[in-house]
Amino acid sequence: MQSSELSVQGQSLQTLYNLYFNKRLIVNRRYQRKLVWSVEEKVKLVDSVVHELPIPLILLAQRKKAGVETYEIIDGLQRLDTFFSFMENKFSYEGKHFDLDTIGDTKARLDAGDIEQGEEKLSRSESLAIANYQIPVSIYRDASTSAIDEVFRRINSGGRRLSLQEIRQAGVLGSLADVVRRSSASIRGDGTFSENVALNDMDELSISRRGLEYGLAMEDMFWVRHDIVAQDDIRSSGDEEMVLDLVLDAVIRPWPTSGWQNRDVAYGVPRKIRTASSDEVNAAVDAVGVEELHQRILSVVGLVDDVMAGHGSLGRHMVKLETYEKGTQRQFQAVFAALYSLTFEDGMVPKSHDAVRAVLDNFWGRKLSIPTGGSAWGKDKKKDLYPNVKRNLKKAFYKPEPKRVTVQLNSRMYIDSLLQGPIAEEPLIELKQGFCTLSDPPVEDPDLFEQIMQTAVGMANHGKSAEGLILIGVADKPSAAARLEQIFGVKAVSLQNQLVVGTAEQIAHLGYDVDRWWRKWQAKIQSSKLSNEFANSLAHTFKPVFCDGLLLWEMRPKSIGKPITYDGRFFVRIGSSTQEMAADDFLSHMTMHFS
């Protein structure tokens, strides 16, 4: 591993809370799991502090970007969250809460109305003793990403504190790990556009526990609602292992064995079996494209959810059993593989949701059977089973003529995942309501293209590895959504507190269909005042997506590893706005972001 400076020192909870208060403690979601401790576990930790018992060391990695110093949490996420949630009165100790007037930062939040004081309080002296408790903190300075990943893996694999899938996924780079991580989070509902999230925002992205009001209720998750993956398995990332199997079935032919050794090999862990190597799997994912595969997976999962809307659990619908302790993972995996093949390999679409649901009724109670148990699911058994599953489901599909360029599956789950997490001031996300002005009559917005090109350049100038998202078809405020409904008769769909309004009616008003508009904008991007390298990259990412019948467009500006200009002008993203900079200021800005 790359050598780096390592310092160990004691820091008070009060000092660490100040870093938290200022959003300088960062969670890297490439390797960090969710908040999983129960209230009982949290109370035990507070009890250790009250009785001045030693607790394990906190391990942080110092990061510096654009002059701002932050600390990435390598080890100690659950402990830090416990301390800060207790100091913010999210749970009590022996029926009493931390006195929020004890330190300046909690008092500031109390005065601002961000947090509330619990009725029963610890004494000021007791609260101060907790705030002054010294924790051993080790800080890596100037550590490389690979070094941090390796440290995390060693910490968590040695003691087997993580599940097999969490160990596979922890800190791993590559297309397979990327699509599994992102698709799993999107399906659960805790996806974020950025990999790095302030610890302050983790509550809303974690699974709720008894006595703790986290953002995601387990019973509302797709896997649990449909009796596919058991709740306890989701806590140990069993849903991510499920997604891994779905991805492998989607991209590897012949269909591979599903077993722990095969999964290990796919992640580059050597095993004495013959199966697709990590290089082969990543190449197969790349052949489809991470973004495309991510969207395809969510589209098929979303189709299943839509098919069963108002009709209960898919598991209970296709397997007529009374108990579901172990879920219906293999049954769903086989159905998913068939739906994926029908849609993306054969170019077919459902006749209707009712037709698909009718075929799936008691699907595994007919002549089809599936191996159960904890052993590997062999590729030979899949070879016999999967074609039969596909043949039965094909009855509910047809092939449209003529063949359409765009696959118009409902991607609501995908759009929902793009809007998850804190995006209000996110510099790498921009939402646009559409291509037309809201005038009477509406006309094509003459400034939109230039604005989007400038924004794309600003996002690409955010750093060497920056990747942004521009999503067209989301209203910036309720009045705009109301006006679009008045002009075009479009009813907005609310997702993640955003109003999705679509653009199909607008481009039809301008005399275009989806495919012609797609080609027009790709040509405009490629012939714009951008460099050829960036223009070609950007044009390739511009594509349509569909949400409950509404047409949106996404664009993914990505850094080419060096600063770029638009028409000889310098643009950057400051917060959620695009700003032009003078040459001298731009040079200073780039020195901080690209050094």
Side-chain angles (χ1 to χ4, degrees), residues 226-335:
H226 292 293
D227 297 295
I228 297 168
V229 180
Q231 293 193 24
D232 287 344
D233 290 335
I234 290 178
R235 296 195 191 285
S236 58
S237 293
D239 61 313
E240 293 198 14
E241 192 166 85
M242 173 91 257
V243 171
L244 169 58
D245 288 341
L246 301 184
V247 170
L248 294 176
D249 278 350
V251 301
I252 300 298
R253 293 293 180 275
W255 292 292
T257 294
S258 293
W260 69 269
Q261 293 189 81
N262 304 77
R263 298 176 190 122
D264 280 355
V265 172
Y267 274 83
V269 181
R271 299 295 178 202
K272 294 180 179 180
I273 58 170
R274 296 184 64 183
T275 188
S277 69
S278 176
D279 287 344
E280 290 170 329
V281 171
N282 280 290
V285 171
D286 287 336
V288 179
V290 170
E291 278 303 324
E292 176 66 21
L293 187 54
H294 176 213
Q295 186 172 347
R296 288 182 180 188
I297 291 167
L298 297 191
S299 293
V300 175
V301 170
L303 171 62
V304 170
D305 215 19
D306 290 342
V307 163
M308 295 305 301
H311 295 272
S313 155
L314 171 68
R316 295 180 183 276
H317 185 71
M318 65 181 181
V319 182
K320 303 297 184 181
L321 298 175
E322 292 302 318
T323 59
Y324 288 84
E325 287 84 0
K326 296 185 180 299
T328 53
Q329 295 186 33
R330 289 189 174 178
Q331 291 89 341
F332 176 79
Q333 185 177 339
V335 167

Side-chain angles (χ1 to χ4, degrees), residues 433-439 441-444 480-491 501-510:
Q433 67 189 27
F435 300 100
C436 287
T437 64
L438 300 182
S439 57
V443 296
E444 184 173 356
R483 177 62 178 155
L484 286 165
E485 182 176 5
Q486 181 183 26
I487 298 173
F488 297 108
V490 179
K491 188 72 174 176
V501 293
T503 64
E505 292 76 13
Q506 296 179 49
I507 64 174
H509 174 73
L510 298 173

Side-chain angles (χ1 to χ4, degrees), residues 504 507-508 511-519 551 553:
I507 64 174
Y512 289 84
D513 61 19
V514 178
D515 293 331
R516 286 179 57 224
W517 190 258
W518 192 357
R519 291 192 293 268
L551 167 66
W553 300 84

Side-chain angles (χ1 to χ4, degrees), residues 407-462:
V407 178
Q408 296 189 24
L409 277 180
N410 187 5
S411 296
R412 181 186 63 252
M413 186 175 286
Y414 175 69
I415 298 297
D416 186 79
S417 72
L418 296 180
L419 300 175
Q420 286 168 3
I423 65 172
E425 293 299 319
E426 171 59 60
L428 295 178
I429 296 180
E430 179 76 7
L431 307 178
K432 295 289 187 183
Q433 67 189 27
F435 300 100
C436 287
T437 64
L438 300 182
S439 57
D440 189 9
V443 296
E444 184 173 356
D445 188 336
D447 302 319
L448 181 68
F449 183 79
E450 289 285 306
Q451 291 172 359
I452 288 179
M453 292 302 99
Q454 292 168 11
T455 294
V457 168
M459 290 177 173
N461 282 334
H462 201 66

